Amino acid sequence: MRRWSRWLLVAVLLLAPLPVSLGVHGTAGSHWSQARRDSSGLAPNPASEPGPVVQVYSGRAWGWRRAFGVHTWIAAKPRNGDHYTRYEVLGWRARYGGDAVRVSTGTPDGYWYGARPTLLADIRGSRAERIIGQLGPAVAAYPARSHYRIWPGPNSNSFTAWLARTIDGLGVDLPPTAVGKDYLVGGGAMAPSPSGTGWQVSLGGLAGVLVGLDEGLEVSLLGLTWGIDFDPPALKLPGLGRLGMASIAP
């Protein structure tokens, strides 16, 4: 077999999950303004949960992008608080010369333009309290507030990953579909993994390797991630995400 044929075969095998993902997730129908944004019921009601809560969510992106990846955000409620604060990055804000970071009292667990969110982390008690004390200053210090790129970053997932690396105790295993999580905001080629249980090397979000107790082994190329998780066992594939036993970070 000729060398170019071998490389073509490798490329087809590596990218095969993407058309499957397109078939599974499709592209969002109707207009974005008509898409569902109400609560999914995943966040505890402040009236019945007086303790501090920190939750990390992901939701499939809007339109054609949902075949490739997700949008992530963080929601937090202090002890005896009567509402949640939601932290995320929105690209359209930066495109019009504004601040890409949005801090709001919006629905913490809302559908993301029709996509039901996935709860990636649910943190309570003293750990949540420590995180909440660091959230405000960390968000204010985010270095890419006026800069946004869908690919390879910095984007909404780069923001969540940056906070996970910056805030003591927040570490979260972001899904392989969080395109942009491997873009190291602030520069550099090496950093702790977002879970805080390993390390990663990344060349501008275009290529890299991550090894961590929570993430397992991940290889990224052009923003797409392939990998193996060991606890619990699973494959990580572009577009499709994690294929194996579901898990929620403690």
Side-chain angles (χ1 to χ4, degrees):
M1 184 181 292
R2 293 181 179 178
R3 182 175 298 178
W4 68 265
S5 300
R6 293 185 199 141
W7 282 111
L8 179 60
L9 178 60
V10 170
V12 168
L13 291 175
L14 288 176
L15 298 177
L18 291 178
V20 176
S21 176
L22 183 62
V24 172
H25 299 290
T27 57
S30 70
H31 191 265
W32 64 266
S33 63
Q34 306 297 318
R36 188 173 178 180
R37 297 294 303 276
D38 60 307
S39 171
S40 60
L42 292 172
N45 190 325
S48 57
E49 174 50 86
V53 179
V54 175
Q55 294 183 317
V56 183
Y57 290 97
S58 70
R60 280 279 166 177
W62 171 259
W64 60 267
R65 286 173 288 181
R66 71 170 49 202
F68 290 84
V70 299
H71 168 80
T72 57
W73 68 93
I74 297 172
K77 180 192 77 68
R79 185 178 299 278
N80 297 319
D82 60 0
H83 67 273
Y84 287 83
T85 300
R86 178 166 165 158
Y87 305 87
E88 62 196 321
V89 154
L90 300 175
W92 64 265
R93 292 166 63 94
R95 281 196 297 272
Y96 291 101
D99 187 345
V101 177
R102 181 173 74 173
V103 179
S104 69
T105 55
T107 307
D109 58 351
Y111 280 73
W112 183 248
Y113 293 102
R116 179 177 175 80
T118 297
L119 182 61
L120 302 177
D122 188 356
I123 304 167
R124 312 288 179 98
S126 59
R127 180 183 167 197
E129 212 152 32
R130 290 195 305 272
I131 292 170
I132 291 170
Q134 301 172 70
L135 257 174
V139 170
Y142 180 60
R145 304 183 71 95
S146 60
H147 186 34
Y148 179 93
R149 284 186 306 195
I150 293 177
W151 173 90
N155 58 26
S156 63
N157 301 317
S158 310
F159 171 71
T160 303
W162 188 86
L163 289 178
R165 297 186 188 101
T166 302
I167 297 175
D168 181 37
L170 178 58
V172 58
D173 181 5
L174 294 174
T177 47
V179 176
K181 71 181 179 67
D182 298 317
Y183 181 92
L184 303 181
V185 177
M190 178 176 286
S193 67
S195 74
T197 65
W199 288 86
Q200 68 180 114
V201 175
S202 178
L203 303 178
L206 295 174
V209 176
L210 183 155
V211 179
L213 293 177
D214 286 352
E215 290 98 344
L217 171 64
E218 295 183 0
V219 176
S220 62
L221 181 63
L222 300 180
L224 302 177
T225 296
W226 295 261
I228 301 174
D229 202 347
F230 302 106
D231 185 23
L235 289 176
K236 297 181 175 183
L237 298 172
L240 291 176
R242 195 176 184 280
L243 301 182
M245 296 177 63
S247 64
I248 293 294

